[in-house]
Amino acid sequence: MKSIAALEGRVYPAFAPEATAGQGVPYLFYLSSPGLRTKTQDGYLTGRAVRGELNVVAARYASLKPVSAAVLDQFISFERRRIGTDGPFIQEVTYQQPVELYEDKPKLYRCLIEFEVYF
């Protein structure tokens, strides 16, 4: 996700530094779990199903839309390929309908994308 030009490397795990509508946006923060290992009658395998979420934050609703679309395109491109040079081979990615919100306290727009990845 760091390669998305509009994010300018502002991709954070779990939370982001304070940002305002005037500076530090757009950005993305993500959450994920260790996941569940897949299991057959013979026991656990090395594969996993991992759930998580992507949160795209922007100052204006009009700027949230193209950044969210770029994040989704990047996320979908992970399917059926290895992430990075030594990362896992992603077998499948799925995501839920993105939810768009307005966060009143920081006065920023957010797009929440819940996902599941199998590797």
Side-chain angles (χ1 to χ4, degrees), residues 66-77:
V67 177
S68 297
V71 166
L72 271 175
D73 288 345
Q74 181 77 33
F75 177 70
I76 290 168
S77 79

Side-chain angles (χ1 to χ4, degrees), residues 1 3 8 19 33 36 60 62 93 100 106 113 116:
M1 299 294 169
S3 67
E8 296 180 13
S33 72
L36 294 173
R60 297 180 322 120
V93 299
E100 295 172 340
I113 305 162
E116 190 163 20

